[in-house]
Amino acid sequence: MDTAENLMRSALAQKERRRRQLAALPYAEKIRILLRMQRMADAAGRTRGAAPRAWQIDEQSLMPLPRIRKDR
Amino acid sequence: MKAALRVLNELEAEGCLGRYAIGGAMGAMFYAEPVTTYDLDIFAVLPQAGTGLLTLQPLYEALRLRGYEPGEYVMIEGIPVQFLPAYNPLLEEALEQARPESLEGVQTRILQMEHLIAIAIQTNRPKDHLRVRILLQEGNPDLALVSEICNRHGLTPPVSEKGEGLWTPPKT
């Protein structure tokens, strides 16, 4: 039977592996993850009246969302 | 993000912005896991005014002409961009040696990981300490190069060239 210490060691090793996997992703994929994290943070912020801060760009194309695109 | 980088490339081509590169949290994210951030830090060589001082004026004028209003940051195509002048020899060297990268077809530059570590050590805020740790753990930096850069710029390297020793933030 695993001791609590072994379980903890295994959990930490898993976390470390996960972080390394994330670090190895292409930059564009990391930006897509960042956009999701920003939107989650905005959702949490809304409950305490914080202004939204997530980047207004499309997750797939990484281009501006239509409503803020400027005519140039 | 891609549209914002295209604008930066145009500004650089027009000479309103000198050589630029992505740094800060977005630069570190190139080498490490994503962490929540809201700013795109752009390190850049700025043109000199007649007085010899670095000036953001030509850049800001060019941005205004494109419809972007400069403030604490400039919202460019949905991204809050902060322009940071290369104001010391470490930043100048980091910009010179920044690596060219492509974000799904859009060319840009990102500061080298070893320079990002040295800049974080020099900047020395709590979030910089965390950035050093993350880059050392996840980025697999060239430790000899980190030491070389730190020594050249009067900074204490975070670890030995063999990776010995854990980096401890200096007491402030």
Side-chain angles (χ1 to χ4, degrees):
Chain A
M1 202 166 125
D2 275 342
T3 62
E5 194 181 337
N6 283 342
L7 285 171
M8 182 58 83
R9 195 172 293 132
S10 161
L12 291 175
Q14 265 183 345
K15 277 174 177 279
E16 180 67 24
R17 272 197 300 278
R18 176 69 181 146
R19 279 198 291 268
R20 287 185 186 278
Q21 283 170 354
L22 287 168
L25 288 172
Y27 195 41
E29 288 310 310
K30 293 180 188 181
I31 293 170
R32 292 186 174 101
I33 292 171
L34 168 65
L35 291 173
R36 276 174 246 152
M37 292 196 298
Q38 288 178 341
R39 284 167 193 156
M40 282 192 281
D42 273 3
R46 263 198 301 276
T47 62
R48 52 183 165 76
R53 298 176 69 194
W55 293 355
Q56 297 301 300
I57 61 173
D58 176 71
E59 190 177 315
Q60 282 314 304
S61 66
L62 300 182
M63 294 294 280
L65 292 171
R67 63 190 174 86
I68 64 150
R69 187 173 290 144
K70 293 178 187 300
D71 292 323
R72 297 179 49 203
Chain B
M1 179 79 174
K2 289 195 276 190
L5 293 176
R6 282 194 186 121
V7 171
L8 296 178
N9 290 340
E10 286 172 18
L11 292 167
E12 187 183 277
E14 290 167 12
C16 308
L17 180 67
R19 183 181 172 84
Y20 85 87
I22 299 172
M26 286 302 292
M29 208 174 80
F30 184 80
Y31 305 99
E33 66 182 305
V35 292
T36 306
T37 184
Y38 294 94
D39 300 328
L40 177 62
D41 288 344
I42 296 297
F43 288 88
V45 176
L46 296 178
Q48 286 193 343
T51 56
L53 296 172
L54 298 177
T55 176
L56 285 161
Q57 205 55 37
L59 172 62
Y60 282 0
E61 280 169 18
L63 287 165
R64 280 197 191 94
L65 282 173
R66 286 173 159 79
Y68 310 116
E69 194 52 42
E72 186 187 343
Y73 57 80
V74 191
M75 189 63 78
I76 302 178
E77 302 294 329
I79 310 275
V81 177
Q82 187 142 39
F83 290 98
L84 302 159
Y87 65 90
N88 69 24
L90 171 59
L91 293 174
E92 286 169 9
E93 177 187 300
L95 263 176
E96 264 171 39
Q97 296 178 21
R99 52 189 284 175
E101 289 295 334
S102 165
L103 177 65
E104 295 187 338
V106 180
Q107 291 304 307
T108 188
R109 286 185 215 94
I110 297 178
L111 296 184
Q112 276 189 32
M113 175 169 34
E114 290 78 8
H115 279 114
L116 284 168
I117 292 171
I119 291 166
I121 290 171
Q122 189 177 62
T123 313
N124 194 26
R125 299 161 300 178
K127 68 178 180 182
D128 297 304
H129 305 160
L130 181 62
R131 190 169 298 156
V132 172
R133 283 187 187 281
I134 288 173
L135 287 172
L136 287 174
Q137 284 171 0
E138 298 173 11
N140 195 24
D142 178 340
L143 295 176
L145 181 55
V146 173
S147 291
E148 195 185 308
I149 295 168
C150 286
N151 291 331
R152 191 163 48 244
H153 296 282
L155 302 166
T156 307
V159 287
S160 76
E161 291 182 16
K162 291 177 185 166
E164 294 158 339
L166 278 173
W167 183 67
T168 310
K171 288 181 181 147
T172 51

